[in-house]
Amino acid sequence: MDSFFSLLERRVDDCSSLVCVGLDPHADDLPAPTAGEAREFCLRLIRATAPYAAAFKPNAAFFEALGADGWTALKEVVDGARAESERVGSRVPVILDAKRGDIASTAEAYARSAFSMLGADAITLSPYLGSDSIEPFLRDPQKGAFLLCKTSNPGSGDLQDLHVAAGPAGSAPLYRRVAQLASEWNAQGNVGIVVGATYPHTLAELRQQVPDLWFLVPGVGVQAGDLGAAVAAGLRGDGRGLLINIARGIARAADPGRAAAQLRDQINLVRRAAASQGQAPAQVAHVDLAGALLEAGCVQFGEFTLKSGTKSPIYIDLRRIISHPQLLRRIGRIYLEILGGLEFSRLAALPYAAIPIAASIALQGDLPMIYPRKETKDYGTRAQIEGEFEPGEVVVLIDDLATTGGSKLEFIDKLKAAGMLVKDIVVLIDRESGARQLLHEAGYTLHAVVTITHLLDVWERTGKVSPDRIEAARRFIAQSRGT
């Protein structure tokens, strides 16, 4: 018996599309807020976009808000999508966006409602009541479920980013545990996850964790998710594996059919580029970080005088991150991905730029933090290390940049003098000016999220920085290495 994702993959191949058309009859888009108008709004969209749709996704909330007639209209919309499938020559799956989640007996009723009564092919579910709340939706392999994993809304991190126990490797964000469970529950090929386009780095992270799962990806359009970054980060090796959901971006276009076709073509350009370049998802995700650092003014191009007196065509100032809380939170999450593979008892932040970064990591990862002072206090406790610690503990050093590595060794000496052990240093950007080699020779391992060379490559490829400035920065970096 075919699974839900076998049906979906046939449709994806038949229409050469990863576009999921969201059917969200907002009251503002209707001549009158009635069930009949909602039905006609959705049926018009279905007729206009069916040739380019890999799936349709009606949002139950907009129909439920219209009472009993709205529920009837929802059924008619699902039936209309099924009828339109005959015209385009292949079955277009219907995903009911209902986000259900309840105890097993209630879940049974929800499953009957979605699949038997409405006739949907799949449904979105909240997984937070556990396996028994999901199982009723998975019994028929021809019916699918997308579990809310890392949603596109700004508040998703309130719960989904919390770190939970993840075995010997330590802790990991809750969304990674959801992805792991989804993979375990996918025995019949009918479980996927919802991952927002607003978090392309997380898309890439999850694609590496669960390389075979299908992702339903909202957040492109009104929520400002980057279409290209999301597609490149979420694609499987076979060029499939994700549905890009677009609702208002298609529905409010002057020609919805043309808008759907253009989106399909944009996505397919990224698919072809990824296939030809063999680009890894993690590399693609750094496009998002590189752009955000530029927008926040953390990296600037021009003519700058460095502390040494040297003239530089590029200046990196990661202290500006503190004025951009969303970026600070994102960077904290990225550090946590590296820290998940290291052994340590607490974070040790280098003053001053790394202190807010370490605080973001500590809050999101529930990790204790200390920091060595630049100068010893001449009053009170006269502490050299702020925060609680025990001699003999292993700490991981957190900093923003790595240049020559000399300042890292100075602070490591302070930590060692207090009885702590240091094995690893984690930074956001490695300026590739000798720090890695110096630290290695001293017995320490440097871990960097990105190198300055990689950032320059990204800015050049995306056209964010002019070629002459990129070339000037590359020459300066080569000179600083002595090469």
Side-chain angles (χ1 to χ4, degrees), residues 248-274:
R248 284 169 283 184
I250 291 176
R252 294 179 179 176
D255 184 341
R258 181 178 177 82
Q262 289 175 337
L263 284 163
R264 177 203 60 184
D265 293 344
Q266 290 175 36
I267 291 169
N268 285 342
L269 281 174
V270 181
R271 294 171 75 187
R272 287 193 290 272

mmCIF file with all atom_site columns, all heavy atoms in Angstrom, residues 248-274:
data_model
loop_
_atom_site.group_PDB
_atom_site.id
_atom_site.type_symbol
_atom_site.label_atom_id
_atom_site.label_alt_id
_atom_site.label_comp_id
_atom_site.label_asym_id
_atom_site.label_entity_id
_atom_site.label_seq_id
_atom_site.pdbx_PDB_ins_code
_atom_site.Cartn_x
_atom_site.Cartn_y
_atom_site.Cartn_z
_atom_site.occupancy
_atom_site.B_iso_or_equiv
_atom_site.pdbx_formal_charge
_atom_site.auth_seq_id
_atom_site.auth_comp_id
_atom_site.auth_asym_id
_atom_site.auth_atom_id
_atom_site.pdbx_PDB_model_num
ATOM 1   N N   . ARG A 1 248 ? -1.015 34.149 1.468   1.00 0.00 ? 248 ARG A N   1
ATOM 2   C CA  . ARG A 1 248 ? -1.357 35.507 1.035   1.00 0.00 ? 248 ARG A CA  1
ATOM 3   C C   . ARG A 1 248 ? -0.511 35.973 -0.147  1.00 0.00 ? 248 ARG A C   1
ATOM 4   O O   . ARG A 1 248 ? -0.987 36.754 -0.976  1.00 0.00 ? 248 ARG A O   1
ATOM 5   C CB  . ARG A 1 248 ? -1.210 36.471 2.218   1.00 0.00 ? 248 ARG A CB  1
ATOM 6   C CG  . ARG A 1 248 ? -2.347 36.365 3.224   1.00 0.00 ? 248 ARG A CG  1
ATOM 7   C CD  . ARG A 1 248 ? -2.076 37.125 4.512   1.00 0.00 ? 248 ARG A CD  1
ATOM 8   N NE  . ARG A 1 248 ? -1.150 36.412 5.379   1.00 0.00 ? 248 ARG A NE  1
ATOM 9   C CZ  . ARG A 1 248 ? -0.801 36.824 6.593   1.00 0.00 ? 248 ARG A CZ  1
ATOM 10  N NH1 . ARG A 1 248 ? -1.302 37.961 7.071   1.00 0.00 ? 248 ARG A NH1 1
ATOM 11  N NH2 . ARG A 1 248 ? 0.023  36.122 7.344   1.00 0.00 ? 248 ARG A NH2 1
ATOM 12  N N   . GLY A 1 249 ? 0.725  35.497 -0.233  1.00 0.00 ? 249 GLY A N   1
ATOM 13  C CA  . GLY A 1 249 ? 1.574  35.899 -1.347  1.00 0.00 ? 249 GLY A CA  1
ATOM 14  C C   . GLY A 1 249 ? 1.017  35.481 -2.694  1.00 0.00 ? 249 GLY A C   1
ATOM 15  O O   . GLY A 1 249 ? 1.296  36.111 -3.713  1.00 0.00 ? 249 GLY A O   1
ATOM 16  N N   . ILE A 1 250 ? 0.227  34.415 -2.709  1.00 0.00 ? 250 ILE A N   1
ATOM 17  C CA  . ILE A 1 250 ? -0.447 33.981 -3.935  1.00 0.00 ? 250 ILE A CA  1
ATOM 18  C C   . ILE A 1 250 ? -1.857 34.552 -3.995  1.00 0.00 ? 250 ILE A C   1
ATOM 19  O O   . ILE A 1 250 ? -2.273 35.116 -5.011  1.00 0.00 ? 250 ILE A O   1
ATOM 20  C CB  . ILE A 1 250 ? -0.493 32.438 -4.012  1.00 0.00 ? 250 ILE A CB  1
ATOM 21  C CG1 . ILE A 1 250 ? 0.919  31.882 -4.227  1.00 0.00 ? 250 ILE A CG1 1
ATOM 22  C CG2 . ILE A 1 250 ? -1.431 31.976 -5.119  1.00 0.00 ? 250 ILE A CG2 1
ATOM 23  C CD1 . ILE A 1 250 ? 0.994  30.364 -4.225  1.00 0.00 ? 250 ILE A CD1 1
ATOM 24  N N   . ALA A 1 251 ? -2.611 34.430 -2.899  1.00 0.00 ? 251 ALA A N   1
ATOM 25  C CA  . ALA A 1 251 ? -4.024 34.831 -2.909  1.00 0.00 ? 251 ALA A CA  1
ATOM 26  C C   . ALA A 1 251 ? -4.211 36.312 -3.215  1.00 0.00 ? 251 ALA A C   1
ATOM 27  O O   . ALA A 1 251 ? -5.188 36.699 -3.855  1.00 0.00 ? 251 ALA A O   1
ATOM 28  C CB  . ALA A 1 251 ? -4.660 34.497 -1.560  1.00 0.00 ? 251 ALA A CB  1
ATOM 29  N N   . ARG A 1 252 ? -3.278 37.150 -2.756  1.00 0.00 ? 252 ARG A N   1
ATOM 30  C CA  . ARG A 1 252 ? -3.433 38.587 -2.937  1.00 0.00 ? 252 ARG A CA  1
ATOM 31  C C   . ARG A 1 252 ? -2.723 39.115 -4.173  1.00 0.00 ? 252 ARG A C   1
ATOM 32  O O   . ARG A 1 252 ? -2.689 40.332 -4.404  1.00 0.00 ? 252 ARG A O   1
ATOM 33  C CB  . ARG A 1 252 ? -2.949 39.314 -1.679  1.00 0.00 ? 252 ARG A CB  1
ATOM 34  C CG  . ARG A 1 252 ? -3.833 39.014 -0.476  1.00 0.00 ? 252 ARG A CG  1
ATOM 35  C CD  . ARG A 1 252 ? -3.361 39.694 0.792   1.00 0.00 ? 252 ARG A CD  1
ATOM 36  N NE  . ARG A 1 252 ? -4.268 39.389 1.901   1.00 0.00 ? 252 ARG A NE  1
ATOM 37  C CZ  . ARG A 1 252 ? -4.077 39.774 3.157   1.00 0.00 ? 252 ARG A CZ  1
ATOM 38  N NH1 . ARG A 1 252 ? -3.003 40.470 3.482   1.00 0.00 ? 252 ARG A NH1 1
ATOM 39  N NH2 . ARG A 1 252 ? -4.960 39.461 4.098   1.00 0.00 ? 252 ARG A NH2 1
ATOM 40  N N   . ALA A 1 253 ? -2.155 38.231 -4.969  1.00 0.00 ? 253 ALA A N   1
ATOM 41  C CA  . ALA A 1 253 ? -1.527 38.646 -6.228  1.00 0.00 ? 253 ALA A CA  1
ATOM 42  C C   . ALA A 1 253 ? -2.606 38.982 -7.255  1.00 0.00 ? 253 ALA A C   1
ATOM 43  O O   . ALA A 1 253 ? -3.720 38.448 -7.213  1.00 0.00 ? 253 ALA A O   1
ATOM 44  C CB  . ALA A 1 253 ? -0.635 37.529 -6.755  1.00 0.00 ? 253 ALA A CB  1
ATOM 45  N N   . ALA A 1 254 ? -2.262 39.878 -8.188  1.00 0.00 ? 254 ALA A N   1
ATOM 46  C CA  . ALA A 1 254 ? -3.228 40.244 -9.233  1.00 0.00 ? 254 ALA A CA  1
ATOM 47  C C   . ALA A 1 254 ? -3.616 39.027 -10.059 1.00 0.00 ? 254 ALA A C   1
ATOM 48  O O   . ALA A 1 254 ? -4.765 38.885 -10.488 1.00 0.00 ? 254 ALA A O   1
ATOM 49  C CB  . ALA A 1 254 ? -2.631 41.332 -10.122 1.00 0.00 ? 254 ALA A CB  1
ATOM 50  N N   . ASP A 1 255 ? -2.669 38.119 -10.267 1.00 0.00 ? 255 ASP A N   1
ATOM 51  C CA  . ASP A 1 255 ? -2.917 36.884 -11.017 1.00 0.00 ? 255 ASP A CA  1
ATOM 52  C C   . ASP A 1 255 ? -2.356 35.728 -10.183 1.00 0.00 ? 255 ASP A C   1
ATOM 53  O O   . ASP A 1 255 ? -1.173 35.408 -10.276 1.00 0.00 ? 255 ASP A O   1
ATOM 54  C CB  . ASP A 1 255 ? -2.219 36.949 -12.382 1.00 0.00 ? 255 ASP A CB  1
ATOM 55  C CG  . ASP A 1 255 ? -2.512 35.742 -13.257 1.00 0.00 ? 255 ASP A CG  1
ATOM 56  O OD1 . ASP A 1 255 ? -2.936 34.696 -12.721 1.00 0.00 ? 255 ASP A OD1 1
ATOM 57  O OD2 . ASP A 1 255 ? -2.304 35.841 -14.477 1.00 0.00 ? 255 ASP A OD2 1
ATOM 58  N N   . PRO A 1 256 ? -3.181 35.091 -9.353  1.00 0.00 ? 256 PRO A N   1
ATOM 59  C CA  . PRO A 1 256 ? -2.676 34.036 -8.477  1.00 0.00 ? 256 PRO A CA  1
ATOM 60  C C   . PRO A 1 256 ? -2.009 32.886 -9.221  1.00 0.00 ? 256 PRO A C   1
ATOM 61  O O   . PRO A 1 256 ? -1.014 32.333 -8.740  1.00 0.00 ? 256 PRO A O   1
ATOM 62  C CB  . PRO A 1 256 ? -3.934 33.573 -7.729  1.00 0.00 ? 256 PRO A CB  1
ATOM 63  C CG  . PRO A 1 256 ? -4.827 34.768 -7.734  1.00 0.00 ? 256 PRO A CG  1
ATOM 64  C CD  . PRO A 1 256 ? -4.588 35.406 -9.071  1.00 0.00 ? 256 PRO A CD  1
ATOM 65  N N   . GLY A 1 257 ? -2.555 32.515 -10.367 1.00 0.00 ? 257 GLY A N   1
ATOM 66  C CA  . GLY A 1 257 ? -1.942 31.433 -11.128 1.00 0.00 ? 257 GLY A CA  1
ATOM 67  C C   . GLY A 1 257 ? -0.536 31.786 -11.572 1.00 0.00 ? 257 GLY A C   1
ATOM 68  O O   . GLY A 1 257 ? 0.391  30.974 -11.456 1.00 0.00 ? 257 GLY A O   1
ATOM 69  N N   . ARG A 1 258 ? -0.366 32.985 -12.059 1.00 0.00 ? 258 ARG A N   1
ATOM 70  C CA  . ARG A 1 258 ? 0.960  33.433 -12.484 1.00 0.00 ? 258 ARG A CA  1
ATOM 71  C C   . ARG A 1 258 ? 1.911  33.504 -11.285 1.00 0.00 ? 258 ARG A C   1
ATOM 72  O O   . ARG A 1 258 ? 3.079  33.111 -11.385 1.00 0.00 ? 258 ARG A O   1
ATOM 73  C CB  . ARG A 1 258 ? 0.843  34.798 -13.157 1.00 0.00 ? 258 ARG A CB  1
ATOM 74  C CG  . ARG A 1 258 ? 2.173  35.366 -13.658 1.00 0.00 ? 258 ARG A CG  1
ATOM 75  C CD  . ARG A 1 258 ? 1.955  36.708 -14.349 1.00 0.00 ? 258 ARG A CD  1
ATOM 76  N NE  . ARG A 1 258 ? 3.204  37.301 -14.764 1.00 0.00 ? 258 ARG A NE  1
ATOM 77  C CZ  . ARG A 1 258 ? 3.866  36.993 -15.873 1.00 0.00 ? 258 ARG A CZ  1
ATOM 78  N NH1 . ARG A 1 258 ? 3.376  36.067 -16.683 1.00 0.00 ? 258 ARG A NH1 1
ATOM 79  N NH2 . ARG A 1 258 ? 4.998  37.580 -16.185 1.00 0.00 ? 258 ARG A NH2 1
ATOM 80  N N   . ALA A 1 259 ? 1.407  33.985 -10.151 1.00 0.00 ? 259 ALA A N   1
ATOM 81  C CA  . ALA A 1 259 ? 2.239  34.072 -8.947  1.00 0.00 ? 259 ALA A CA  1
ATOM 82  C C   . ALA A 1 259 ? 2.713  32.686 -8.520  1.00 0.00 ? 259 ALA A C   1
ATOM 83  O O   . ALA A 1 259 ? 3.880  32.501 -8.149  1.00 0.00 ? 259 ALA A O   1
ATOM 84  C CB  . ALA A 1 259 ? 1.460  34.739 -7.821  1.00 0.00 ? 259 ALA A CB  1
ATOM 85  N N   . ALA A 1 260 ? 1.812  31.701 -8.566  1.00 0.00 ? 260 ALA A N   1
ATOM 86  C CA  . ALA A 1 260 ? 2.194  30.333 -8.198  1.00 0.00 ? 260 ALA A CA  1
ATOM 87  C C   . ALA A 1 260 ? 3.231  29.780 -9.162  1.00 0.00 ? 260 ALA A C   1
ATOM 88  O O   . ALA A 1 260 ? 4.188  29.110 -8.748  1.00 0.00 ? 260 ALA A O   1
ATOM 89  C CB  . ALA A 1 260 ? 0.959  29.441 -8.165  1.00 0.00 ? 260 ALA A CB  1
ATOM 90  N N   . ALA A 1 261 ? 3.046  30.055 -10.449 1.00 0.00 ? 261 ALA A N   1
ATOM 91  C CA  . ALA A 1 261 ? 4.006  29.576 -11.444 1.00 0.00 ? 261 ALA A CA  1
ATOM 92  C C   . ALA A 1 261 ? 5.371  30.207 -11.236 1.00 0.00 ? 261 ALA A C   1
ATOM 93  O O   . ALA A 1 261 ? 6.411  29.537 -11.350 1.00 0.00 ? 261 ALA A O   1
ATOM 94  C CB  . ALA A 1 261 ? 3.489  29.890 -12.848 1.00 0.00 ? 261 ALA A CB  1
ATOM 95  N N   . GLN A 1 262 ? 5.404  31.503 -10.931 1.00 0.00 ? 262 GLN A N   1
ATOM 96  C CA  . GLN A 1 262 ? 6.679  32.183 -10.702 1.00 0.00 ? 262 GLN A CA  1
ATOM 97  C C   . GLN A 1 262 ? 7.382  31.633 -9.460  1.00 0.00 ? 262 GLN A C   1
ATOM 98  O O   . GLN A 1 262 ? 8.602  31.445 -9.467  1.00 0.00 ? 262 GLN A O   1
ATOM 99  C CB  . GLN A 1 262 ? 6.444  33.685 -10.569 1.00 0.00 ? 262 GLN A CB  1
ATOM 100 C CG  . GLN A 1 262 ? 6.057  34.360 -11.880 1.00 0.00 ? 262 GLN A CG  1
ATOM 101 C CD  . GLN A 1 262 ? 5.702  35.826 -11.707 1.00 0.00 ? 262 GLN A CD  1
ATOM 102 O OE1 . GLN A 1 262 ? 5.332  36.265 -10.611 1.00 0.00 ? 262 GLN A OE1 1
ATOM 103 N NE2 . GLN A 1 262 ? 5.801  36.581 -12.779 1.00 0.00 ? 262 GLN A NE2 1
ATOM 104 N N   . LEU A 1 263 ? 6.619  31.374 -8.419  1.00 0.00 ? 263 LEU A N   1
ATOM 105 C CA  . LEU A 1 263 ? 7.214  30.795 -7.212  1.00 0.00 ? 263 LEU A CA  1
ATOM 106 C C   . LEU A 1 263 ? 7.772  29.404 -7.498  1.00 0.00 ? 263 LEU A C   1
ATOM 107 O O   . LEU A 1 263 ? 8.854  29.055 -7.029  1.00 0.00 ? 263 LEU A O   1
ATOM 108 C CB  . LEU A 1 263 ? 6.170  30.734 -6.103  1.00 0.00 ? 263 LEU A CB  1
ATOM 109 C CG  . LEU A 1 263 ? 5.862  32.075 -5.429  1.00 0.00 ? 263 LEU A CG  1
ATOM 110 C CD1 . LEU A 1 263 ? 4.555  31.991 -4.652  1.00 0.00 ? 263 LEU A CD1 1
ATOM 111 C CD2 . LEU A 1 263 ? 7.002  32.485 -4.501  1.00 0.00 ? 263 LEU A CD2 1
ATOM 112 N N   . ARG A 1 264 ? 7.012  28.619 -8.245  1.00 0.00 ? 264 ARG A N   1
ATOM 113 C CA  . ARG A 1 264 ? 7.521  27.291 -8.629  1.00 0.00 ? 264 ARG A CA  1
ATOM 114 C C   . ARG A 1 264 ? 8.848  27.417 -9.360  1.00 0.00 ? 264 ARG A C   1
ATOM 115 O O   . ARG A 1 264 ? 9.808  26.690 -9.077  1.00 0.00 ? 264 ARG A O   1
ATOM 116 C CB  . ARG A 1 264 ? 6.501  26.588 -9.528  1.00 0.00 ? 264 ARG A CB  1
ATOM 117 C CG  . ARG A 1 264 ? 6.960  25.235 -10.042 1.00 0.00 ? 264 ARG A CG  1
ATOM 118 C CD  . ARG A 1 264 ? 6.226  24.839 -11.316 1.00 0.00 ? 264 ARG A CD  1
ATOM 119 N NE  . ARG A 1 264 ? 6.440  25.793 -12.393 1.00 0.00 ? 264 ARG A NE  1
ATOM 120 C CZ  . ARG A 1 264 ? 5.856  25.723 -13.585 1.00 0.00 ? 264 ARG A CZ  1
ATOM 121 N NH1 . ARG A 1 264 ? 5.001  24.744 -13.829 1.00 0.00 ? 264 ARG A NH1 1
ATOM 122 N NH2 . ARG A 1 264 ? 6.097  26.636 -14.514 1.00 0.00 ? 264 ARG A NH2 1
ATOM 123 N N   . ASP A 1 265 ? 8.926  28.379 -10.298 1.00 0.00 ? 265 ASP A N   1
ATOM 124 C CA  . ASP A 1 265 ? 10.139 28.537 -11.096 1.00 0.00 ? 265 ASP A CA  1
ATOM 125 C C   . ASP A 1 265 ? 11.308 29.030 -10.244 1.00 0.00 ? 265 ASP A C   1
ATOM 126 O O   . ASP A 1 265 ? 12.454 28.597 -10.434 1.00 0.00 ? 265 ASP A O   1
ATOM 127 C CB  . ASP A 1 265 ? 9.876  29.501 -12.247 1.00 0.00 ? 265 ASP A CB  1
ATOM 128 C CG  . ASP A 1 265 ? 8.886  28.940 -13.262 1.00 0.00 ? 265 ASP A CG  1
ATOM 129 O OD1 . ASP A 1 265 ? 8.637  27.715 -13.239 1.00 0.00 ? 265 ASP A OD1 1
ATOM 130 O OD2 . ASP A 1 265 ? 8.346  29.732 -14.055 1.00 0.00 ? 265 ASP A OD2 1
ATOM 131 N N   . GLN A 1 266 ? 11.034 29.947 -9.290  1.00 0.00 ? 266 GLN A N   1
ATOM 132 C CA  . GLN A 1 266 ? 12.101 30.415 -8.401  1.00 0.00 ? 266 GLN A CA  1
ATOM 133 C C   . GLN A 1 266 ? 12.652 29.269 -7.561  1.00 0.00 ? 266 GLN A C   1
ATOM 134 O O   . GLN A 1 266 ? 13.860 29.143 -7.379  1.00 0.00 ? 266 GLN A O   1
ATOM 135 C CB  . GLN A 1 266 ? 11.556 31.512 -7.486  1.00 0.00 ? 266 GLN A CB  1
ATOM 136 C CG  . GLN A 1 266 ? 11.234 32.819 -8.181  1.00 0.00 ? 266 GLN A CG  1
ATOM 137 C CD  . GLN A 1 266 ? 10.575 33.813 -7.230  1.00 0.00 ? 266 GLN A CD  1
ATOM 138 O OE1 . GLN A 1 266 ? 10.910 33.867 -6.057  1.00 0.00 ? 266 GLN A OE1 1
ATOM 139 N NE2 . GLN A 1 266 ? 9.639  34.584 -7.739  1.00 0.00 ? 266 GLN A NE2 1
ATOM 140 N N   . ILE A 1 267 ? 11.766 28.450 -7.045  1.00 0.00 ? 267 ILE A N   1
ATOM 141 C CA  . ILE A 1 267 ? 12.186 27.306 -6.240  1.00 0.00 ? 267 ILE A CA  1
ATOM 142 C C   . ILE A 1 267 ? 13.004 26.339 -7.081  1.00 0.00 ? 267 ILE A C   1
ATOM 143 O O   . ILE A 1 267 ? 14.034 25.819 -6.644  1.00 0.00 ? 267 ILE A O   1
ATOM 144 C CB  . ILE A 1 267 ? 10.956 26.606 -5.628  1.00 0.00 ? 267 ILE A CB  1
ATOM 145 C CG1 . ILE A 1 267 ? 10.308 27.510 -4.571  1.00 0.00 ? 267 ILE A CG1 1
ATOM 146 C CG2 . ILE A 1 267 ? 11.343 25.254 -5.021  1.00 0.00 ? 267 ILE A CG2 1
ATOM 147 C CD1 . ILE A 1 267 ? 8.946  27.030 -4.104  1.00 0.00 ? 267 ILE A CD1 1
ATOM 148 N N   . ASN A 1 268 ? 12.566 26.112 -8.300  1.00 0.00 ? 268 ASN A N   1
ATOM 149 C CA  . ASN A 1 268 ? 13.269 25.150 -9.159  1.00 0.00 ? 268 ASN A CA  1
ATOM 150 C C   . ASN A 1 268 ? 14.656 25.653 -9.553  1.00 0.00 ? 268 ASN A C   1
ATOM 151 O O   . ASN A 1 268 ? 15.572 24.848 -9.776  1.00 0.00 ? 268 ASN A O   1
ATOM 152 C CB  . ASN A 1 268 ? 12.437 24.835 -10.396 1.00 0.00 ? 268 ASN A CB  1
ATOM 153 C CG  . ASN A 1 268 ? 11.277 23.908 -10.075 1.00 0.00 ? 268 ASN A CG  1
ATOM 154 O OD1 . ASN A 1 268 ? 11.279 23.243 -9.037  1.00 0.00 ? 268 ASN A OD1 1
ATOM 155 N ND2 . ASN A 1 268 ? 10.284 23.864 -10.943 1.00 0.00 ? 268 ASN A ND2 1
ATOM 156 N N   . LEU A 1 269 ? 14.826 26.977 -9.639  1.00 0.00 ? 269 LEU A N   1
ATOM 157 C CA  . LEU A 1 269 ? 16.167 27.511 -9.886  1.00 0.00 ? 269 LEU A CA  1
ATOM 158 C C   . LEU A 1 269 ? 17.111 27.129 -8.751  1.00 0.00 ? 269 LEU A C   1
ATOM 159 O O   . LEU A 1 269 ? 18.259 26.734 -8.982  1.00 0.00 ? 269 LEU A O   1
ATOM 160 C CB  . LEU A 1 269 ? 16.100 29.035 -10.034 1.00 0.00 ? 269 LEU A CB  1
ATOM 161 C CG  . LEU A 1 269 ? 15.623 29.589 -11.378 1.00 0.00 ? 269 LEU A CG  1
ATOM 162 C CD1 . LEU A 1 269 ? 15.482 31.107 -11.294 1.00 0.00 ? 269 LEU A CD1 1
ATOM 163 C CD2 . LEU A 1 269 ? 16.608 29.217 -12.490 1.00 0.00 ? 269 LEU A CD2 1
ATOM 164 N N   . VAL A 1 270 ? 16.624 27.257 -7.522  1.00 0.00 ? 270 VAL A N   1
ATOM 165 C CA  . VAL A 1 270 ? 17.448 26.896 -6.366  1.00 0.00 ? 270 VAL A CA  1
ATOM 166 C C   . VAL A 1 270 ? 17.709 25.396 -6.361  1.00 0.00 ? 270 VAL A C   1
ATOM 167 O O   . VAL A 1 270 ? 18.820 24.948 -6.042  1.00 0.00 ? 270 VAL A O   1
ATOM 168 C CB  . VAL A 1 270 ? 16.768 27.340 -5.056  1.00 0.00 ? 270 VAL A CB  1
ATOM 169 C CG1 . VAL A 1 270 ? 17.644 26.981 -3.851  1.00 0.00 ? 270 VAL A CG1 1
ATOM 170 C CG2 . VAL A 1 270 ? 16.503 28.831 -5.067  1.00 0.00 ? 270 VAL A CG2 1
ATOM 171 N N   . ARG A 1 271 ? 16.695 24.613 -6.707  1.00 0.00 ? 271 ARG A N   1
ATOM 172 C CA  . ARG A 1 271 ? 16.873 23.155 -6.747  1.00 0.00 ? 271 ARG A CA  1
ATOM 173 C C   . ARG A 1 271 ? 17.967 22.774 -7.738  1.00 0.00 ? 271 ARG A C   1
ATOM 174 O O   . ARG A 1 271 ? 18.828 21.943 -7.447  1.00 0.00 ? 271 ARG A O   1
ATOM 175 C CB  . ARG A 1 271 ? 15.562 22.458 -7.128  1.00 0.00 ? 271 ARG A CB  1
ATOM 176 C CG  . ARG A 1 271 ? 14.457 22.601 -6.106  1.00 0.00 ? 271 ARG A CG  1
ATOM 177 C CD  . ARG A 1 271 ? 13.142 22.076 -6.646  1.00 0.00 ? 271 ARG A CD  1
ATOM 178 N NE  . ARG A 1 271 ? 13.093 20.620 -6.669  1.00 0.00 ? 271 ARG A NE  1
ATOM 179 C CZ  . ARG A 1 271 ? 12.095 19.928 -7.235  1.00 0.00 ? 271 ARG A CZ  1
ATOM 180 N NH1 . ARG A 1 271 ? 11.097 20.565 -7.847  1.00 0.00 ? 271 ARG A NH1 1
ATOM 181 N NH2 . ARG A 1 271 ? 12.104 18.616 -7.214  1.00 0.00 ? 271 ARG A NH2 1
ATOM 182 N N   . ARG A 1 272 ? 17.934 23.394 -8.913  1.00 0.00 ? 272 ARG A N   1
ATOM 183 C CA  . ARG A 1 272 ? 18.939 23.061 -9.927  1.00 0.00 ? 272 ARG A CA  1
ATOM 184 C C   . ARG A 1 272 ? 20.322 23.521 -9.495  1.00 0.00 ? 272 ARG A C   1
ATOM 185 O O   . ARG A 1 272 ? 21.317 22.822 -9.699  1.00 0.00 ? 272 ARG A O   1
ATOM 186 C CB  . ARG A 1 272 ? 18.554 23.693 -11.267 1.00 0.00 ? 272 ARG A CB  1
ATOM 187 C CG  . ARG A 1 272 ? 17.378 23.010 -11.946 1.00 0.00 ? 272 ARG A CG  1
ATOM 188 C CD  . ARG A 1 272 ? 17.247 23.449 -13.391 1.00 0.00 ? 272 ARG A CD  1
ATOM 189 N NE  . ARG A 1 272 ? 16.815 24.842 -13.494 1.00 0.00 ? 272 ARG A NE  1
ATOM 190 C CZ  . ARG A 1 272 ? 15.549 25.236 -13.513 1.00 0.00 ? 272 ARG A CZ  1
ATOM 191 N NH1 . ARG A 1 272 ? 14.571 24.341 -13.414 1.00 0.00 ? 272 ARG A NH1 1
ATOM 192 N NH2 . ARG A 1 272 ? 15.238 26.510 -13.638 1.00 0.00 ? 272 ARG A NH2 1
ATOM 193 N N   . ALA A 1 273 ? 20.390 24.715 -8.885  1.00 0.00 ? 273 ALA A N   1
ATOM 194 C CA  . ALA A 1 273 ? 21.694 25.223 -8.434  1.00 0.00 ? 273 ALA A CA  1
ATOM 195 C C   . ALA A 1 273 ? 22.276 24.330 -7.349  1.00 0.00 ? 273 ALA A C   1
ATOM 196 O O   . ALA A 1 273 ? 23.470 24.020 -7.358  1.00 0.00 ? 273 ALA A O   1
ATOM 197 C CB  . ALA A 1 273 ? 21.544 26.651 -7.922  1.00 0.00 ? 273 ALA A CB  1
ATOM 198 N N   . ALA A 1 274 ? 21.426 23.902 -6.409  1.00 0.00 ? 274 ALA A N   1
ATOM 199 C CA  . ALA A 1 274 ? 21.907 23.037 -5.329  1.00 0.00 ? 274 ALA A CA  1
ATOM 200 C C   . ALA A 1 274 ? 22.399 21.709 -5.888  1.00 0.00 ? 274 ALA A C   1
ATOM 201 O O   . ALA A 1 274 ? 23.408 21.169 -5.440  1.00 0.00 ? 274 ALA A O   1
ATOM 202 C CB  . ALA A 1 274 ? 20.803 22.806 -4.311  1.00 0.00 ? 274 ALA A CB  1
#
